């Protein structure tokens, strides 16, 4: 089992097909085939953290660097999405290994203040066990349909301290200045 971070441009065609398989296994029936340039209407990833078992991709976490607005302050984040583990590999702590490798790749980028993600309530315990901290804020973004959208403060948002401690996360509304991940 290997887990490695790869910049989007460096993914080989076979790697891309393996990652596509993970996404399609999870989402194709509801959302159609995966498009890496605009996955299901969300923002694409700059970095893909891929877990491989032999030639098979069995896990994935993607992230993209972006400067967002939080309460009038600019914050450099790695917006995280595409957290997937193949059904046959669930329950083996692979998700934790992927999230750890993603955090290491964010640290290696040297200019990321925080990891950032939105999720549904059922997976919050997984992310908090991986060191992410829940924040409360109204979030503004471009929706999957291309129109401005707002998520109220009850929706789970989490940050991971990378270059700055979580106590330095600014208060106020968040403007992602683009699509969510």
């Amino acid at each position: 089992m290997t887990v490695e971070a790869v910049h989007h441009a460096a993914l080989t065609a076979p790697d891309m097909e393996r990652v596509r398989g993970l996404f399609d296994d999870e989402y194709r029936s509801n959302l159609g085939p995966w498009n890496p340039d605009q996955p299901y209407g969300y923002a694409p990833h700059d970095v893909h953290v891929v877990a491989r078992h032999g030639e098979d991709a069995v896990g994935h976490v993607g992230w993209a660097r972006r400067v967002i607005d939080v309460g009038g302050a600019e914050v450099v984040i790695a917006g995280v999405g595409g957290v997937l583990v193949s059904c046959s590999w669930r329950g083996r702590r692979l998700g934790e290994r992927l999230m750890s490798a993603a955090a290491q790749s964010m640290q290696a980028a040297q200019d990321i203040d925080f990891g950032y993600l939105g999720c549904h309530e059922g997976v919050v315990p997984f992310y908090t066990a991986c060191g992410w901290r829940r924040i409360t804020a109204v979030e503004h973004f471009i929706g999957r349909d291309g129109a401005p959208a707002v998520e109220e403060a009850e929706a789970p948002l989490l940050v991971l301290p990378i270059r700055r401690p979580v106590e330095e996360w600014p208060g106020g509304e968040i403007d992602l200045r683009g699509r969510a991940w």
Side-chain angles (χ1 to χ4, degrees), residues 32-116:
W34 181 63
N35 173 353
D37 297 321
Q38 190 174 7
Y40 310 113
Y42 297 106
H45 304 124
D46 297 333
V47 175
H48 299 269
V49 179
V50 181
R52 293 183 183 85
H53 182 255
E55 292 296 311
D56 294 330
V58 296
H60 175 272
V61 173
W63 64 266
R65 181 193 181 281
R66 187 181 300 164
V67 178
I68 65 171
D69 181 284
V70 184
E74 289 194 332
V75 179
V76 182
I77 61 150
V80 172
V83 180
L84 299 168
V85 172
S86 172
C87 290
S88 62
W89 280 83
R90 292 180 184 163
R92 301 184 195 194
R93 304 183 76 96
L94 179 56
E96 291 174 19
R97 287 182 59 192
L98 283 161
M99 294 304 290
S100 176
Q104 290 172 11
S105 68
M106 291 173 207
Q107 290 168 344
Q110 299 184 4
D111 67 344
I112 306 291
D113 294 325
F114 299 94
Y116 180 92

Side-chain angles (χ1 to χ4, degrees), residues 88-174:
S88 62
W89 280 83
R90 292 180 184 163
R92 301 184 195 194
R93 304 183 76 96
L94 179 56
E96 291 174 19
R97 287 182 59 192
L98 283 161
M99 294 304 290
S100 176
Q104 290 172 11
S105 68
M106 291 173 207
Q107 290 168 344
Q110 299 184 4
D111 67 344
I112 306 291
D113 294 325
F114 299 94
Y116 180 92
L117 64 83
C119 62
H120 62 82
E121 199 65 51
V123 294
V124 169
F126 165 73
Y127 291 118
T128 57
C130 292
W132 291 70
R133 301 272 302 271
R134 189 167 184 163
I135 60 169
T136 302
V138 172
E139 180 187 62
H140 299 263
F141 57 97
I142 303 299
R144 292 177 53 206
D145 61 359
V150 177
E151 189 73 57
E152 295 304 322
E154 298 80 35
L157 298 174
L158 293 102
V159 296
L160 179 71
I162 300 295
R163 295 268 176 250
R164 294 171 55 189
V166 74
E167 294 77 21
E168 290 185 17
W169 181 265
E173 293 191 5
I174 297 168

